[in-house]
Amino acid sequence: MSPTDQRSTDIASLRAQLQEAGYVAEAPLAAALLLMFDLGRPLLLEGDAGVGKTDVAKALATVRNAKLIRLQCYEGLDVHAAIYEWNYQRQLLAIRLLENDDRAMAAKEQDIFSERYLLKRPLLEAISCAEPPVLLIDEVDRADEAFEAYLLELLSDFQVSIPELGTVRAVTRPLVVITSNGTRELSDALRRRCLYQYIDYPSFEKELAIVEIKAPAAAGRLARQLVEFVQAVRRMDLLKKPGIAETLDWTAAMLRLGVSTVDGDSAERIVETLSALLKTREDRAGFTRDVVARIAAAC
């Protein structure tokens, strides 16, 4: 088998494994994941909120039978929440117990600032695992730009520096998935250290496959109509387009109301379920019964 044929086989195999784990992956994403395995580089996934970026890491952990370690980013995130923190209460207790210790001060400090008093946060935990975990750095664009500097050492050399202990190098190299919703531009330094894949809103075929996997009770004609409705909604001028999670929530709501077909006659019940699909006041206000009926009749 030629290298090209082998790669195609590997991509198809990974897509099948991801689908078994509940994630429908297109070929470009599977190819990017294989490169991540081969090169040992982090993978940066960018795209609008709700397109399934976080679920890539979850499915990957299932496929690799690996531990998933998640760092949820937010404004003000710092080294103490992301990498490590000292257990100050235990250290204070140890200091009191060492008051009558005759050893030199340097020896006492070395004892107090040892690993047993170290609280490992997600980044340090990820490089300390005996088996390679999947490290998810979620919504990195929500963190401050200064936080990216903390990441560079980890992403380049898979090590972190702790002033009191020195450099802690990775026991095993984690599989790193970084997600960004594009709310701010990421630094060139971060992008250079990563492979890159953009994830867009799903095509009709992909979203239909997702609905049939996640909500088998809606399989068949109803699933197609539900996806057609959502796809039509996304083409409208909205403040927040519904993501895959909203599609699944809305499908569950429709099933709960016993809706078996999407058409003009079901418009009233569809209106009752829009809280699962539309998440802003302005978007919701535009979906009157007549608008809903018109979209539903076209499905």
Side-chain angles (χ1 to χ4, degrees):
M1 182 180 295
S2 69
T4 301
D5 292 340
Q6 181 61 55
R7 198 61 169 181
S8 297
T9 300
D10 292 343
I11 290 173
S13 175
L14 180 56
R15 292 181 69 189
Q17 292 173 19
L18 290 170
Q19 184 150 334
E20 287 181 8
Y23 190 90
V24 179
E26 296 165 330
L29 175 58
L33 289 171
L34 288 175
L35 280 177
M36 180 177 71
F37 303 157
D38 296 340
L39 303 180
R41 299 282 295 278
L43 176 61
L44 171 61
L45 300 177
E46 205 163 33
D48 290 337
V51 295
K53 302 182 298 296
T54 299
D55 287 339
V56 173
K58 295 178 180 179
L60 182 59
T62 300
V63 168
R64 303 283 290 198
N65 194 26
K67 180 179 181 180
L68 176 65
I69 299 175
R70 179 175 182 173
L71 173 63
Q72 179 63 52
C73 297
Y74 55 87
E75 186 177 353
L77 178 65
D78 61 12
V79 63
H80 298 299
I83 303 178
Y84 75 96
E85 188 172 9
W86 291 107
N87 190 330
Y88 296 115
Q89 291 182 333
R90 289 193 61 199
Q91 284 178 318
L92 288 173
L93 179 59
I95 290 171
R96 292 180 181 178
L97 294 175
L98 290 173
E99 287 178 353
N100 298 322
D101 195 314
D102 295 331
R103 289 182 298 166
M105 182 61 67
K108 293 181 181 179
E109 289 180 354
Q110 187 175 13
D111 184 44
I112 293 171
F113 289 102
S114 60
E115 286 196 27
R116 62 175 149 171
Y117 298 109
L118 191 67
L119 299 175
K120 295 179 180 178
R121 299 312 183 196
L123 298 185
L124 182 57
E125 181 187 358
I127 66 171
S128 302
C129 293
E131 297 294 331
V134 173
L135 171 60
L136 169 61
I137 303 175
D138 210 11
E139 297 183 320
V140 69
D141 53 317
R142 291 185 179 274
D144 302 325
E145 292 182 20
F147 175 71
E148 290 186 28
Y150 293 133
L151 288 178
L152 298 183
E153 182 182 15
L154 177 78
L155 300 181
S156 295
D157 305 315
F158 288 92
Q159 65 182 32
V160 295
S161 297
I162 300 176
E164 299 86 352
L165 289 179
T167 300
V168 179
R169 294 177 174 81
V171 176
T172 57
R173 180 169 290 198
L175 297 171
V176 183
V177 176
I178 305 173
T179 74
S180 170
N181 295 334
T183 57
R184 69 170 177 84
E185 183 58 37
L186 303 179
S187 69
D188 290 341
L190 178 63
R191 290 183 181 276
R192 282 197 303 270
R193 286 162 172 79
C194 301
L195 303 174
Y196 178 83
Q197 184 67 30
Y198 186 84
I199 298 183
D200 206 345
Y201 286 101
S203 64
F204 174 83
E205 291 76 14
K206 178 178 178 179
E207 192 158 23
L208 178 60
I210 293 170
V211 170
E212 289 179 337
I213 291 173
K214 299 290 189 178
R221 183 169 180 268
L222 177 59
R224 297 186 67 86
Q225 289 181 319
L226 292 172
V227 174
E228 285 175 355
F229 189 97
V230 174
Q231 296 267 324
V233 169
R234 286 203 193 106
R235 290 192 292 269
M236 300 176 70
D237 185 18
L238 301 176
L239 292 176
K240 185 187 182 305
K241 296 180 180 180
I244 297 172
E246 282 76 25
T247 300
L248 296 175
D249 285 345
W250 183 59
T251 298
M254 293 285 279
L255 291 173
R256 181 68 180 81
L257 291 184
V259 177
S260 59
T261 186
V262 176
D263 54 25
D265 294 335
S266 60
E268 193 64 43
R269 283 180 293 174
I270 292 175
V271 169
E272 295 174 11
T273 64
L274 289 180
S275 59
L277 190 64
L278 302 171
K279 301 298 179 68
T280 72
R281 178 182 179 183
E282 294 80 0
D283 290 343
R284 178 65 182 83
F287 277 74
T288 63
R289 186 187 183 285
D290 291 340
V291 171
V292 170
R294 186 170 64 252
I295 299 173
C299 294

